[in-house]
Amino acid sequence: MASKTLNKVQKKAVHAVGNPVLIFAGAGSGKTRVLTHKIAHLIEEGLFKPEEILAVTFTNKAAEEMSNRVIALLNQKNIPLNIGTFHSICSRLLRKEIHCLGFSKDFVIYDVQDQIALIRVVMDELKIARSFVDPRTVSNTISHYKNKMLNANAAKKSARTIIDKTIIDIFKNYQIALKKNNALDFDDLLLFPLVLFEKFPDVLKKYQEKWKYVLVDEYQDTNRPQFLFINAIANAHNQICVVGDDDQSIYGWRGADIRNILDFEKTFPGCEIYKLEQNYRSTQQILNAASAVVKNNENRALKELKAMNGAGDKLGLLETNDEMEEADALISVLEKEIKMNKRTFSDFAVLYRTNAQSRALEDSLRRNGIPYKIIGGIRFYERKEVKDLLAYLQLIVNKKDTIALRRVVNFPPRGIGLKTVDKCVQEAKKSNLELFDVLADPSKMNIRGKQADELNRFFEIISKYHDLLDKLNAGELVRTLVDETGILKHYKRQDTAEDLERINNINEVLNSVDEFMARNPQVMLTDFLEEVSLLTGIDQWNDQENRVTLMTVHSAKGLEFPVVFLTGLEDGLFPFFSTLQDKNKLAEERRLFYVGLTRAKQNVFLLYANNRRRSGAEQFYGLVSRFVREIPEDHLENINFSSAMTRKVIGSAQGYAKMEVKRTVTVFDDFRVGDLVEHAIFGVGKIMALSGSGENQRVGVVFKDGIKKKLIVKFAKLKKVH
């Protein structure tokens, strides 16, 4: 094994076996390298068989990378590795053991949309108006209770208001409804194994004997259920190695407990501790700035990061008037980086505290013809047409899934309205039958004619494909189903650009099923649905696309880019106002800022605005973030930016200002078709089409390498080439 690639401390951590091991891995210090080498070492030295090792991480992307690296290190294929996310590992365990809790192994996993849909049904049954309490608020509150490991009865003790008590009533009935639907939500995936371990000690013993060595990545992000799951398995043998960085603990809002890593020594006495402090990602300027900020937090493990990539440049600091000028400044710097340092679009990441900040940035990128990819928008598998097809598949796998049934019983439209569905619901209650089963005999509900025929046909289609689950390959089944239900025909009839995109998305699902089956020939449709339900936005991010990446700082965790722009750096936005009076929350915001800085390999640019429009309000006066002020001045370089905008305050009240914004650039070259022009990013090109004049002038340009762009002249800064 190529252990020559490890430094001294990494090598010691890899070879440490026998006692519990805690590895504090600073940002960019090669923690994945250590984890994968450790797994390979345990196998290669014959200390443990591959199937006896459990390695857990937080994203499918990280799990896949770990698996590929271990396979490469051992130079073997078909190794029975247990590497996955907490949710995927627990889901696999539950497929085998959940019958003990009264569920069947073909349970479905509800995403947030499905959870909210079920909560709406429960609220309707309880006659609770959505104007009284929002279903999304109920969903978030239930998830909060589950992360704290409180069931409805336990949560009831802390209920104070009528709304609190109402949510707990919904919670209780929601759990009953989940079981009736043979469904679990994401939180249940983590909680149910613990219930199994407590109620059935033989199940716990089985997995303690199965997994004799446990490794955990990103241990600082574990919440209470994840901690208890790992603890239950490892307690039997104390063969455990956890890797993490307390300075990168940024998920307290969803239950992560930084004490899990800081108190590891108390949980597993006699543990060996290693600190990885050599950084292979960033420059020393970036690390010094990041460390200077995070050192202001109390209760952290001391570490001094040393850059292996040299001193590097100072961090650029840009002060702007508002969010529009901030976006213009960012484009200006990006263009210079491309021209001066020969960068490509994929070298850049634009990070922000909240998704709402992306609008002004996207507008500016679009105006300048710069391709970008936004992480954290609507995920592919959450789009309506994709969800509709997946709902068909969920219902075929699990006929108890009433949420999937409600979603597709009238898709494509077959004349089955809400009143008809309500009649079916009432009949199911009266007859004590599953909702799906009452569709077999519409006459019992006094449903006749076309509606009865369509209900019968829908019932027969789902029943038919349910029976074919074991007989047809998943790819064949899905393609035949799409054809028989007429989903593609439905969109082809509409014949709009939007529907063409929907057709492409459905074809993409069909391709993804085929690809999944090619990777896993022995698996079933249930396995495909499980993989899809556990995907995150980052798992679908393609770092091979030559586009600027836009995302929140939370989403950027675990990634790296040559150049990082951190935007919106004002007190009240980053850090949030709500954290300023809470020491623990402010410490987490500071760690989040640290994570943002340490995503960068070579350059960081910090941007803030003196005025910013928030939540549709008028301009809000901003003050540069305290985190920027915590960076020593000798690590910062002020960058002057000259905007093409002028702004004039025309009135103010209660801290808000009305601002009039005008562009100062009003004269444009008299371009003609055939002119050669130069663009700061795309280089020299030829104008092939032109429309409008003055501020509205647009040009179609073909640049070198055949790149075609439509540009608005007033934003594109084109120069004639003679």
Side-chain angles (χ1 to χ4, degrees):
M1 186 175 69
S3 59
K4 290 177 184 176
T5 61
L6 301 172
N7 64 40
K8 284 182 181 178
V9 181
Q10 288 175 335
K11 203 175 286 186
K12 283 181 182 177
V14 164
H15 293 160
V17 182
N19 295 318
V21 175
L22 167 60
I23 303 172
F24 281 111
S29 61
K31 70 176 178 60
T32 305
R33 189 187 308 167
V34 170
L35 270 174
T36 50
H37 274 77
K38 191 167 188 75
I39 295 169
H41 173 74
L42 295 172
I43 295 169
E44 199 171 53
E45 295 300 314
L47 300 168
F48 296 93
K49 296 174 185 174
E51 61 270 25
E52 292 175 337
I53 299 168
L54 173 67
V56 196
T57 186
F58 276 82
T59 67
N60 294 291
K61 198 177 185 72
E64 186 179 1
E65 184 186 348
M66 282 171 64
S67 295
N68 291 338
R69 287 208 205 178
V70 172
I71 288 166
L73 285 170
L74 293 172
N75 200 20
Q76 294 178 41
K77 290 184 179 178
N78 303 318
I79 308 171
L81 297 170
N82 294 300
I83 300 177
T85 64
F86 275 98
H87 286 92
S88 65
I89 294 291
C90 288
S91 181
R92 274 180 245 161
L93 183 153
L94 290 171
R95 291 279 171 213
K96 293 185 174 71
E97 314 294 346
I98 202 166
H99 62 275
C100 299
L101 301 177
F103 289 75
S104 63
K105 66 177 182 179
D106 56 3
F107 65 84
V108 292
I109 301 166
Y110 278 180
D111 65 13
V112 175
Q113 281 187 44
D114 297 327
Q115 291 168 36
I116 291 170
L118 184 59
I119 285 167
R120 286 191 182 118
V121 171
V122 169
M123 287 174 67
D124 289 344
E125 288 174 349
L126 295 173
K127 295 184 170 49
I128 297 168
R130 291 171 203 174
S131 57
F132 179 67
V133 59
D134 178 54
R136 187 170 289 277
T137 301
V138 176
S139 175
N140 291 337
T141 307
I142 289 173
S143 183
H144 171 75
Y145 285 139
K146 289 186 176 185
N147 275 319
K148 298 287 184 186
M149 298 194 64
L150 297 172
N151 60 25
N153 290 331
K156 200 170 188 177
K157 293 172 186 174
S158 62
R160 296 287 177 267
T161 67
I162 294 173
I163 289 181
D164 289 344
K165 290 170 183 173
T166 302
I167 290 175
I168 286 162
D169 285 341
I170 297 168
F171 181 9
K172 191 173 184 178
N173 286 275
Y174 166 74
Q175 285 304 123
I176 294 167
L178 277 173
K179 191 162 188 179
K180 282 183 180 173
N181 282 268
N182 195 34
L184 275 65
D185 63 25
F186 288 133
D187 295 314
D188 289 336
L189 288 177
L190 302 178
L191 291 171
F192 279 30
L194 300 178
V195 176
L196 278 167
F197 291 167
E198 186 182 348
K199 290 188 174 180
F200 304 94
D202 54 323
V203 173
L204 172 59
K205 190 177 179 186
K206 173 180 171 181
Y207 287 95
Q208 287 174 334
E209 290 174 354
K210 176 182 171 68
W211 295 321
K212 294 176 179 172
Y213 199 97
V214 179
L215 299 102
V216 189
D217 187 16
E218 304 284 10
Y219 191 67
Q220 77 281 350
D221 291 333
T222 51
N223 62 17
R224 184 74 179 158
Q226 289 160 340
F227 167 77
L228 291 174
F229 177 79
I230 291 300
N231 202 28
I233 301 296
N235 243 341
H237 43 63
N238 270 2
Q239 296 299 300
I240 180 171
C241 171
V242 303
V243 183
D245 181 7
D246 54 305
D247 286 335
Q248 295 185 68
S249 178
I250 58 173
Y251 294 110
W253 49 276
R254 70 180 189 198
D257 190 343
I258 195 171
R259 290 174 301 179
N260 290 346
I261 191 165
L262 294 176
D263 293 346
F264 183 82
E265 205 173 353
K266 293 178 187 172
T267 310
F268 292 95
C271 75
E272 298 178 36
I273 300 175
Y274 300 90
K275 289 184 182 180
L276 307 184
E277 295 175 303
Q278 289 187 12
N279 177 285
Y280 298 91
R281 178 190 299 150
S282 307
T283 64
Q284 196 65 51
Q285 287 275 15
I286 294 169
L287 295 181
N288 288 349
S291 297
V293 176
V294 83
K295 278 177 182 174
N296 290 287
N297 280 349
E298 300 171 8
N299 300 322
R300 57 179 289 268
L302 295 176
K303 56 190 88 72
E304 295 292 333
L305 295 181
K306 183 181 178 185
M308 298 291 104
N309 291 338
D313 299 330
K314 292 182 178 183
L315 285 67
L317 179 63
L318 291 94
E319 176 185 2
T320 62
N321 283 306
D322 57 27
E323 72 273 13
M324 292 178 287
E325 188 172 280
E326 179 184 62
D328 285 354
L330 188 149
I331 298 294
S332 174
V333 173
L334 187 145
E335 287 177 345
K336 284 176 187 169
E337 281 288 315
I338 287 175
K339 206 166 188 178
M340 304 295 289
N341 296 321
K342 309 297 181 195
R343 300 208 184 272
T344 60
F345 296 127
S346 58
D347 286 341
F348 300 96
V350 180
L351 309 183
Y352 34 79
R353 183 64 183 83
T354 67
N355 279 310
Q357 291 168 249
S358 72
R359 185 199 56 78
L361 298 164
E362 287 187 77
D363 286 349
S364 192
L365 289 163
R366 273 198 302 268
R367 284 198 303 263
N368 287 277
I370 297 172
Y372 66 91
K373 169 79 172 174
I374 190 160
I375 307 295
I378 296 177
R379 293 194 295 124
F380 176 76
Y381 289 105
E382 289 173 353
R383 292 172 185 174
K384 182 193 177 299
E385 62 278 9
V386 176
K387 280 284 290 179
D388 288 339
L389 177 51
L390 293 177
Y392 264 108
L393 302 181
Q394 284 178 210
L395 186 57
I396 286 164
V397 165
N398 171 29
K399 291 188 289 184
K400 290 182 177 183
D401 189 349
T402 62
I403 296 302
L405 188 153
R406 287 169 184 266
R407 187 175 185 106
V408 296
V409 70
N410 195 39
F411 177 79
R414 46 175 70 94
I416 299 169
L418 291 174
K419 286 184 179 177
T420 304
V421 174
D422 285 342
K423 282 183 182 179
C424 297
V425 170
Q426 295 305 319
E427 179 60 31
K429 284 181 180 175
K430 189 174 81 175
S431 308
N432 199 24
L433 292 170
E434 297 293 346
L435 179 56
F436 177 76
D437 292 334
V438 303
L439 307 186
D441 191 359
S443 62
K444 272 192 173 182
M445 296 162 282
N446 204 24
I447 299 171
R448 312 223 186 287
K450 185 176 182 296
Q451 279 194 330
D453 293 341
E454 290 295 344
L455 277 177
N456 268 322
R457 184 165 178 271
F458 178 76
F459 177 83
E460 286 165 4
I461 287 174
I462 301 301
S463 299
K464 168 183 164 183
Y465 285 97
H466 180 78
D467 293 340
L468 288 171
L469 276 173
D470 297 330
K471 299 171 185 137
L472 274 186
N473 166 295
E476 296 170 325
L477 185 145
V478 177
R479 286 179 184 279
T480 314
L481 172 77
V482 167
D483 187 50
E484 186 165 351
T485 52
I487 293 173
L488 287 176
K489 285 179 188 171
H490 166 68
Y491 288 124
K492 283 174 183 172
R493 278 197 297 270
Q494 313 295 316
D495 198 27
T496 66
E498 190 179 29
D499 289 303
L500 178 61
E501 186 182 346
R502 285 177 170 160
I503 289 167
N504 291 337
N505 287 339
I506 287 166
N507 284 325
E508 188 58 33
V509 176
L510 300 179
N511 293 338
S512 68
V513 176
D514 290 340
E515 288 167 12
F516 181 77
M517 295 307 297
R519 280 186 279 125
N520 314 277
Q522 307 304 317
V523 299
M524 311 293 288
L525 184 59
T526 316
D527 300 292
F528 171 74
L529 290 173
E530 182 172 305
E531 179 173 270
V532 166
S533 67
L534 298 177
L535 282 176
T536 65
I538 286 298
D539 294 324
Q540 296 167 66
W541 174 63
N542 180 3
D543 56 0
Q544 301 306 309
E545 292 182 37
N546 190 22
R547 295 170 178 268
V548 176
T549 301
L550 275 68
M551 65 178 100
T552 64
V553 189
H554 278 102
S555 296
K557 175 82 180 297
L559 303 179
E560 57 183 39
F561 300 87
V563 182
V564 166
F565 293 95
L566 264 170
T567 64
L569 295 178
E570 301 110 46
D571 262 6
L573 181 56
F574 198 175
F576 275 160
F577 271 126
S578 59
T579 68
L580 298 181
Q581 304 304 318
D582 186 315
K583 189 171 71 174
N584 291 331
K585 287 181 180 177
L586 185 60
E588 181 157 317
E589 290 282 296
R590 191 174 275 111
R591 292 194 292 268
L592 185 61
F593 184 75
Y594 174 86
V595 165
L597 288 182
T598 54
R599 299 311 92 202
K601 294 181 178 180
Q602 294 154 13
N603 293 99
V604 171
F605 296 96
L606 310 172
L607 297 96
Y608 68 97
N610 293 320
N611 304 279
R612 185 178 298 274
R613 214 173 257 103
R614 295 191 197 164
S615 305
E618 293 172 352
Q619 295 294 107
F620 189 87
Y621 296 123
L623 179 69
V624 63
S625 170
R626 64 194 60 205
F627 300 153
V628 174
R629 300 198 300 271
E630 288 172 0
I631 299 173
E633 285 187 14
D634 58 352
H635 295 314
L636 295 172
E637 178 187 354
N638 288 300
I639 298 175
N640 294 320
F641 168 69
S642 179
S643 174
M645 290 184 177
T646 59
R647 293 160 175 77
K648 186 169 72 175
V649 177
I650 56 174
S652 65
Q654 298 177 345
Y656 295 97
K658 265 195 172 178
M659 190 78 65
E660 186 178 75
V661 182
K662 287 185 179 177
R663 284 200 168 260
T664 56
V665 180
T666 55
V667 180
F668 301 96
D669 282 327
D670 183 18
F671 292 118
R672 297 176 184 276
V673 172
D675 282 352
L676 290 178
V677 291
E678 185 178 14
H679 186 276
I681 293 175
F682 302 110
V684 176
K686 189 174 187 178
I687 294 179
M688 307 303 290
L690 185 146
S691 63
S693 61
E695 288 211 355
N696 298 317
Q697 191 174 57
R698 295 169 182 266
V699 290
V701 186
V702 176
F703 293 98
K704 60 183 179 181
D705 301 326
I707 296 171
K708 296 177 183 177
K709 291 287 170 185
K710 290 180 183 176
L711 302 168
I712 301 171
V713 173
K714 70 176 177 180
F715 297 119
K717 303 174 190 171
L718 295 172
K719 294 176 185 173
K720 274 190 181 181
V721 177
H722 298 286

